[in-house]
Amino acid sequence: MLLSFNNSTGGKITVEVIKEINKYKETNKPLCIFVTFEGDDVLNKEPACTAFVLNEKIVLCKDTSALDAVLQDDIEKIVFSSKEIFSYADKQGYEIKNLSFDISLAGYLLNPNASSYDLEKLCAQYEISVPETDEEHKDYAVLGAMPKLCAVLKEKIEEASQSSLLYDIEIPLARVLARM
């Protein structure tokens, strides 16, 4: 375990670095995925680090084989910024299975005039509490809020009658744009 801190409900969020993801795929709950990419060309970036968020656990993995395994697995996936992830998978020669939600696209649909759709700003906008932590570990705390943020955004998308736009147009369009 890399670190542990309390979330807003008093539970512990743990962060650990792993080399393989198999034990975390054995669940019926969606897996939130946040990939940090490096490189200059928007659609030719390489994954630098992947964070998998499930319940109160954040799992960091720098090995792309874990990301590849999860993206090709049938487990339900919630991602941040599907276009970069689609581009990466396309370059690797596979299709992403069961991508069910894109947090950044949902944020855009709900507020197209926002200047940014990063996790921290979305959490603030939708009043998702992020645990207090030191500056060095702030990003981990924000990642831990992904499941709650996703739940709120899904509800807001439904309330705004934007479900079809997100699922039938925006996410498939991100896949197409990633291939261009």
Side-chain angles (χ1 to χ4, degrees), residues 7 26 29 37 41 67-68 74 81-83 88 96 98 106 111 128 142 144 146 150 159 161 169 176 180:
N7 68 12
E26 298 168 3
K29 295 186 178 182
F37 288 91
D41 184 1
L67 176 61
D68 294 337
D74 288 327
S81 191
S82 62
K83 188 164 104 176
Y88 168 75
I96 298 173
N98 205 9
N111 186 2
I128 306 298
V142 173
M146 279 180 76
C150 178
E159 288 173 4
S161 300
I169 297 173
V176 170
M180 298 179 98

PDB file of all heavy atoms in Angstrom, residues 7 26 29 37 41 67-68 74 81-83 88 96 98 106 111 128 142 144 146 150 159 161 169 176 180:
ATOM      1  N   ASN A   7     -12.064   9.101   3.587  1.00  0.00           N
ATOM      2  CA  ASN A   7     -12.917   9.791   2.630  1.00  0.00           C
ATOM      3  C   ASN A   7     -13.934  10.630   3.383  1.00  0.00           C
ATOM      4  O   ASN A   7     -13.916  10.710   4.606  1.00  0.00           O
ATOM      5  CB  ASN A   7     -13.577   8.800   1.664  1.00  0.00           C
ATOM      6  CG  ASN A   7     -14.583   7.895   2.337  1.00  0.00           C
ATOM      7  OD1 ASN A   7     -14.981   8.108   3.480  1.00  0.00           O
ATOM      8  ND2 ASN A   7     -14.999   6.868   1.629  1.00  0.00           N
ATOM      9  N   GLU A  26     -12.508  -9.060 -10.687  1.00  0.00           N
ATOM     10  CA  GLU A  26     -13.501 -10.037 -10.264  1.00  0.00           C
ATOM     11  C   GLU A  26     -14.565  -9.380  -9.392  1.00  0.00           C
ATOM     12  O   GLU A  26     -14.640  -9.614  -8.198  1.00  0.00           O
ATOM     13  CB  GLU A  26     -12.808 -11.180  -9.533  1.00  0.00           C
ATOM     14  CG  GLU A  26     -11.827 -11.915 -10.420  1.00  0.00           C
ATOM     15  CD  GLU A  26     -10.923 -12.865  -9.666  1.00  0.00           C
ATOM     16  OE1 GLU A  26     -11.078 -13.006  -8.442  1.00  0.00           O
ATOM     17  OE2 GLU A  26     -10.052 -13.454 -10.316  1.00  0.00           O
ATOM     18  N   LYS A  29     -19.119  -4.679  -9.985  1.00  0.00           N
ATOM     19  CA  LYS A  29     -19.218  -3.229  -9.979  1.00  0.00           C
ATOM     20  C   LYS A  29     -18.365  -2.642 -11.090  1.00  0.00           C
ATOM     21  O   LYS A  29     -17.339  -3.197 -11.455  1.00  0.00           O
ATOM     22  CB  LYS A  29     -18.766  -2.688  -8.627  1.00  0.00           C
ATOM     23  CG  LYS A  29     -19.677  -3.111  -7.504  1.00  0.00           C
ATOM     24  CD  LYS A  29     -19.295  -2.459  -6.222  1.00  0.00           C
ATOM     25  CE  LYS A  29     -20.271  -2.889  -5.142  1.00  0.00           C
ATOM     26  NZ  LYS A  29     -19.996  -2.251  -3.878  1.00  0.00           N
ATOM     27  N   PHE A  37      -1.705  10.337 -19.848  1.00  0.00           N
ATOM     28  CA  PHE A  37      -0.959  10.122 -21.086  1.00  0.00           C
ATOM     29  C   PHE A  37       0.199  11.100 -21.178  1.00  0.00           C
ATOM     30  O   PHE A  37       0.135  12.200 -20.632  1.00  0.00           O
ATOM     31  CB  PHE A  37      -1.862  10.303 -22.305  1.00  0.00           C
ATOM     32  CG  PHE A  37      -2.858   9.194 -22.491  1.00  0.00           C
ATOM     33  CD1 PHE A  37      -4.114   9.261 -21.923  1.00  0.00           C
ATOM     34  CD2 PHE A  37      -2.529   8.078 -23.238  1.00  0.00           C
ATOM     35  CE1 PHE A  37      -5.032   8.243 -22.094  1.00  0.00           C
ATOM     36  CE2 PHE A  37      -3.435   7.050 -23.422  1.00  0.00           C
ATOM     37  CZ  PHE A  37      -4.691   7.134 -22.848  1.00  0.00           C
ATOM     38  N   ASP A  41       1.447  14.852 -29.384  1.00  0.00           N
ATOM     39  CA  ASP A  41       0.341  14.687 -30.309  1.00  0.00           C
ATOM     40  C   ASP A  41      -0.869  14.134 -29.554  1.00  0.00           C
ATOM     41  O   ASP A  41      -0.796  13.075 -28.944  1.00  0.00           O
ATOM     42  CB  ASP A  41       0.747  13.735 -31.435  1.00  0.00           C
ATOM     43  CG  ASP A  41      -0.331  13.579 -32.494  1.00  0.00           C
ATOM     44  OD1 ASP A  41      -1.389  14.209 -32.379  1.00  0.00           O
ATOM     45  OD2 ASP A  41      -0.103  12.795 -33.435  1.00  0.00           O
ATOM     46  N   LEU A  67      -3.636  -2.178 -18.264  1.00  0.00           N
ATOM     47  CA  LEU A  67      -4.627  -1.362 -18.957  1.00  0.00           C
ATOM     48  C   LEU A  67      -5.196  -2.131 -20.148  1.00  0.00           C
ATOM     49  O   LEU A  67      -6.415  -2.177 -20.340  1.00  0.00           O
ATOM     50  CB  LEU A  67      -3.996  -0.040 -19.427  1.00  0.00           C
ATOM     51  CG  LEU A  67      -4.888   0.875 -20.261  1.00  0.00           C
ATOM     52  CD1 LEU A  67      -6.125   1.301 -19.486  1.00  0.00           C
ATOM     53  CD2 LEU A  67      -4.093   2.085 -20.739  1.00  0.00           C
ATOM     54  N   ASP A  68      -4.336  -2.745 -20.936  1.00  0.00           N
ATOM     55  CA  ASP A  68      -4.794  -3.523 -22.089  1.00  0.00           C
ATOM     56  C   ASP A  68      -5.740  -4.641 -21.662  1.00  0.00           C
ATOM     57  O   ASP A  68      -6.785  -4.852 -22.286  1.00  0.00           O
ATOM     58  CB  ASP A  68      -3.601  -4.120 -22.845  1.00  0.00           C
ATOM     59  CG  ASP A  68      -2.726  -3.063 -23.500  1.00  0.00           C
ATOM     60  OD1 ASP A  68      -3.217  -1.950 -23.760  1.00  0.00           O
ATOM     61  OD2 ASP A  68      -1.543  -3.357 -23.743  1.00  0.00           O
ATOM     62  N   ASP A  74     -14.613  -7.879 -20.209  1.00  0.00           N
ATOM     63  CA  ASP A  74     -16.039  -7.544 -20.214  1.00  0.00           C
ATOM     64  C   ASP A  74     -16.486  -6.710 -19.018  1.00  0.00           C
ATOM     65  O   ASP A  74     -17.641  -6.285 -18.975  1.00  0.00           O
ATOM     66  CB  ASP A  74     -16.878  -8.826 -20.279  1.00  0.00           C
ATOM     67  CG  ASP A  74     -16.797  -9.473 -21.647  1.00  0.00           C
ATOM     68  OD1 ASP A  74     -16.682  -8.755 -22.648  1.00  0.00           O
ATOM     69  OD2 ASP A  74     -16.845 -10.720 -21.713  1.00  0.00           O
ATOM     70  N   SER A  81     -12.286  10.808 -20.259  1.00  0.00           N
ATOM     71  CA  SER A  81     -11.715  11.134 -21.568  1.00  0.00           C
ATOM     72  C   SER A  81     -11.557   9.902 -22.458  1.00  0.00           C
ATOM     73  O   SER A  81     -10.451   9.420 -22.700  1.00  0.00           O
ATOM     74  CB  SER A  81     -10.386  11.875 -21.432  1.00  0.00           C
ATOM     75  OG  SER A  81      -9.999  12.377 -22.681  1.00  0.00           O
ATOM     76  N   SER A  82     -12.671   9.427 -22.965  1.00  0.00           N
ATOM     77  CA  SER A  82     -12.663   8.210 -23.778  1.00  0.00           C
ATOM     78  C   SER A  82     -11.903   8.355 -25.091  1.00  0.00           C
ATOM     79  O   SER A  82     -11.348   7.380 -25.588  1.00  0.00           O
ATOM     80  CB  SER A  82     -14.100   7.746 -24.051  1.00  0.00           C
ATOM     81  OG  SER A  82     -14.817   8.724 -24.778  1.00  0.00           O
ATOM     82  N   LYS A  83     -11.853   9.547 -25.653  1.00  0.00           N
ATOM     83  CA  LYS A  83     -11.211   9.703 -26.955  1.00  0.00           C
ATOM     84  C   LYS A  83      -9.742   9.283 -26.919  1.00  0.00           C
ATOM     85  O   LYS A  83      -9.284   8.545 -27.792  1.00  0.00           O
ATOM     86  CB  LYS A  83     -11.331  11.145 -27.449  1.00  0.00           C
ATOM     87  CG  LYS A  83     -10.858  11.322 -28.880  1.00  0.00           C
ATOM     88  CD  LYS A  83     -11.345  12.629 -29.448  1.00  0.00           C
ATOM     89  CE  LYS A  83     -10.235  13.621 -29.495  1.00  0.00           C
ATOM     90  NZ  LYS A  83     -10.587  14.887 -30.116  1.00  0.00           N
ATOM     91  N   TYR A  88      -5.671   5.062 -28.040  1.00  0.00           N
ATOM     92  CA  TYR A  88      -4.645   4.126 -27.570  1.00  0.00           C
ATOM     93  C   TYR A  88      -5.017   2.685 -27.935  1.00  0.00           C
ATOM     94  O   TYR A  88      -4.199   1.941 -28.481  1.00  0.00           O
ATOM     95  CB  TYR A  88      -4.458   4.263 -26.054  1.00  0.00           C
ATOM     96  CG  TYR A  88      -3.635   3.145 -25.480  1.00  0.00           C
ATOM     97  CD1 TYR A  88      -2.261   3.119 -25.670  1.00  0.00           C
ATOM     98  CD2 TYR A  88      -4.232   2.095 -24.791  1.00  0.00           C
ATOM     99  CE1 TYR A  88      -1.493   2.060 -25.183  1.00  0.00           C
ATOM    100  CE2 TYR A  88      -3.484   1.046 -24.302  1.00  0.00           C
ATOM    101  CZ  TYR A  88      -2.115   1.036 -24.491  1.00  0.00           C
ATOM    102  OH  TYR A  88      -1.366  -0.009 -24.017  1.00  0.00           O
ATOM    103  N   ILE A  96     -12.325  -1.668 -27.321  1.00  0.00           N
ATOM    104  CA  ILE A  96     -12.632  -1.592 -25.896  1.00  0.00           C
ATOM    105  C   ILE A  96     -14.004  -2.209 -25.675  1.00  0.00           C
ATOM    106  O   ILE A  96     -14.966  -1.865 -26.364  1.00  0.00           O
ATOM    107  CB  ILE A  96     -12.623  -0.133 -25.401  1.00  0.00           C
ATOM    108  CG1 ILE A  96     -11.232   0.463 -25.579  1.00  0.00           C
ATOM    109  CG2 ILE A  96     -13.089  -0.049 -23.953  1.00  0.00           C
ATOM    110  CD1 ILE A  96     -11.152   1.942 -25.268  1.00  0.00           C
ATOM    111  N   ASN A  98     -17.333  -2.905 -23.310  1.00  0.00           N
ATOM    112  CA  ASN A  98     -18.191  -2.500 -22.200  1.00  0.00           C
ATOM    113  C   ASN A  98     -17.800  -1.169 -21.560  1.00  0.00           C
ATOM    114  O   ASN A  98     -17.827  -1.038 -20.341  1.00  0.00           O
ATOM    115  CB  ASN A  98     -18.244  -3.615 -21.150  1.00  0.00           C
ATOM    116  CG  ASN A  98     -19.516  -3.551 -20.335  1.00  0.00           C
ATOM    117  OD1 ASN A  98     -20.438  -2.793 -20.641  1.00  0.00           O
ATOM    118  ND2 ASN A  98     -19.570  -4.340 -19.280  1.00  0.00           N
ATOM    119  N   ALA A 106     -19.799  13.590 -20.172  1.00  0.00           N
ATOM    120  CA  ALA A 106     -21.013  13.913 -19.417  1.00  0.00           C
ATOM    121  C   ALA A 106     -20.919  15.330 -18.859  1.00  0.00           C
ATOM    122  O   ALA A 106     -21.888  16.103 -18.923  1.00  0.00           O
ATOM    123  CB  ALA A 106     -21.223  12.908 -18.286  1.00  0.00           C
ATOM    124  N   ASN A 111     -22.684  21.009 -19.103  1.00  0.00           N
ATOM    125  CA  ASN A 111     -22.245  22.400 -19.028  1.00  0.00           C
ATOM    126  C   ASN A 111     -21.259  22.678 -20.167  1.00  0.00           C
ATOM    127  O   ASN A 111     -20.054  22.750 -19.939  1.00  0.00           O
ATOM    128  CB  ASN A 111     -21.596  22.682 -17.666  1.00  0.00           C
ATOM    129  CG  ASN A 111     -21.256  24.143 -17.484  1.00  0.00           C
ATOM    130  OD1 ASN A 111     -21.530  24.977 -18.340  1.00  0.00           O
ATOM    131  ND2 ASN A 111     -20.633  24.457 -16.364  1.00  0.00           N
ATOM    132  N   ILE A 128     -19.283  17.259  -4.931  1.00  0.00           N
ATOM    133  CA  ILE A 128     -18.766  15.965  -4.494  1.00  0.00           C
ATOM    134  C   ILE A 128     -17.591  16.261  -3.583  1.00  0.00           C
ATOM    135  O   ILE A 128     -16.606  16.874  -4.007  1.00  0.00           O
ATOM    136  CB  ILE A 128     -18.293  15.102  -5.696  1.00  0.00           C
ATOM    137  CG1 ILE A 128     -19.387  14.955  -6.746  1.00  0.00           C
ATOM    138  CG2 ILE A 128     -17.754  13.756  -5.215  1.00  0.00           C
ATOM    139  CD1 ILE A 128     -20.631  14.279  -6.289  1.00  0.00           C
ATOM    140  N   VAL A 142      -8.882  13.128  -5.326  1.00  0.00           N
ATOM    141  CA  VAL A 142      -9.835  13.423  -6.393  1.00  0.00           C
ATOM    142  C   VAL A 142     -10.208  12.139  -7.136  1.00  0.00           C
ATOM    143  O   VAL A 142     -11.383  11.906  -7.437  1.00  0.00           O
ATOM    144  CB  VAL A 142      -9.269  14.489  -7.362  1.00  0.00           C
ATOM    145  CG1 VAL A 142     -10.182  14.681  -8.553  1.00  0.00           C
ATOM    146  CG2 VAL A 142      -9.074  15.812  -6.633  1.00  0.00           C
ATOM    147  N   GLY A 144     -10.358   9.210  -5.940  1.00  0.00           N
ATOM    148  CA  GLY A 144     -11.250   8.453  -5.066  1.00  0.00           C
ATOM    149  C   GLY A 144     -12.698   8.901  -5.157  1.00  0.00           C
ATOM    150  O   GLY A 144     -13.613   8.160  -4.804  1.00  0.00           O
ATOM    151  N   MET A 146     -14.195   9.591  -8.003  1.00  0.00           N
ATOM    152  CA  MET A 146     -14.743   9.238  -9.325  1.00  0.00           C
ATOM    153  C   MET A 146     -16.046   8.440  -9.271  1.00  0.00           C
ATOM    154  O   MET A 146     -16.986   8.771  -9.999  1.00  0.00           O
ATOM    155  CB  MET A 146     -13.709   8.489 -10.167  1.00  0.00           C
ATOM    156  CG  MET A 146     -12.691   9.375 -10.847  1.00  0.00           C
ATOM    157  SD  MET A 146     -11.487   8.439 -11.849  1.00  0.00           S
ATOM    158  CE  MET A 146     -12.477   8.019 -13.291  1.00  0.00           C
ATOM    159  N   CYS A 150     -19.414   9.976 -10.877  1.00  0.00           N
ATOM    160  CA  CYS A 150     -20.086   9.267 -11.963  1.00  0.00           C
ATOM    161  C   CYS A 150     -21.571   9.082 -11.653  1.00  0.00           C
ATOM    162  O   CYS A 150     -22.423   9.320 -12.511  1.00  0.00           O
ATOM    163  CB  CYS A 150     -19.418   7.924 -12.205  1.00  0.00           C
ATOM    164  SG  CYS A 150     -20.230   6.968 -13.500  1.00  0.00           S
ATOM    165  N   GLU A 159     -31.779  13.332 -15.879  1.00  0.00           N
ATOM    166  CA  GLU A 159     -32.702  14.436 -15.589  1.00  0.00           C
ATOM    167  C   GLU A 159     -32.764  15.435 -16.740  1.00  0.00           C
ATOM    168  O   GLU A 159     -33.808  16.015 -17.012  1.00  0.00           O
ATOM    169  CB  GLU A 159     -32.273  15.178 -14.316  1.00  0.00           C
ATOM    170  CG  GLU A 159     -32.510  14.420 -13.044  1.00  0.00           C
ATOM    171  CD  GLU A 159     -31.922  15.110 -11.824  1.00  0.00           C
ATOM    172  OE1 GLU A 159     -31.376  16.230 -11.941  1.00  0.00           O
ATOM    173  OE2 GLU A 159     -31.990  14.513 -10.731  1.00  0.00           O
ATOM    174  N   SER A 161     -32.440  14.688 -19.827  1.00  0.00           N
ATOM    175  CA  SER A 161     -32.816  13.944 -21.038  1.00  0.00           C
ATOM    176  C   SER A 161     -31.686  13.916 -22.069  1.00  0.00           C
ATOM    177  O   SER A 161     -31.916  14.055 -23.267  1.00  0.00           O
ATOM    178  CB  SER A 161     -34.087  14.545 -21.657  1.00  0.00           C
ATOM    179  OG  SER A 161     -35.156  14.480 -20.750  1.00  0.00           O
ATOM    180  N   ILE A 169     -24.570   8.990 -29.317  1.00  0.00           N
ATOM    181  CA  ILE A 169     -23.866   9.895 -30.225  1.00  0.00           C
ATOM    182  C   ILE A 169     -22.468  10.244 -29.719  1.00  0.00           C
ATOM    183  O   ILE A 169     -21.473  10.012 -30.415  1.00  0.00           O
ATOM    184  CB  ILE A 169     -24.697  11.173 -30.481  1.00  0.00           C
ATOM    185  CG1 ILE A 169     -26.003  10.792 -31.181  1.00  0.00           C
ATOM    186  CG2 ILE A 169     -23.893  12.187 -31.299  1.00  0.00           C
ATOM    187  CD1 ILE A 169     -26.987  11.910 -31.351  1.00  0.00           C
ATOM    188  N   VAL A 176     -14.923   7.320 -33.116  1.00  0.00           N
ATOM    189  CA  VAL A 176     -14.649   7.675 -34.517  1.00  0.00           C
ATOM    190  C   VAL A 176     -13.555   8.742 -34.594  1.00  0.00           C
ATOM    191  O   VAL A 176     -12.601   8.624 -35.374  1.00  0.00           O
ATOM    192  CB  VAL A 176     -15.935   8.144 -35.240  1.00  0.00           C
ATOM    193  CG1 VAL A 176     -15.616   8.728 -36.604  1.00  0.00           C
ATOM    194  CG2 VAL A 176     -16.931   6.997 -35.352  1.00  0.00           C
ATOM    195  N   MET A 180      -9.315   9.152 -36.402  1.00  0.00           N
ATOM    196  CA  MET A 180      -8.995  10.091 -37.480  1.00  0.00           C
ATOM    197  C   MET A 180      -7.572  10.612 -37.366  1.00  0.00           C
ATOM    198  O   MET A 180      -6.971  10.683 -36.383  1.00  0.00           O
ATOM    199  CB  MET A 180      -9.971  11.256 -37.460  1.00  0.00           C
ATOM    200  CG  MET A 180     -11.403  10.782 -37.708  1.00  0.00           C
ATOM    201  SD  MET A 180     -12.560  12.135 -37.670  1.00  0.00           S
ATOM    202  CE  MET A 180     -12.715  12.429 -39.397  1.00  0.00           C
TER     203      MET A 180
END
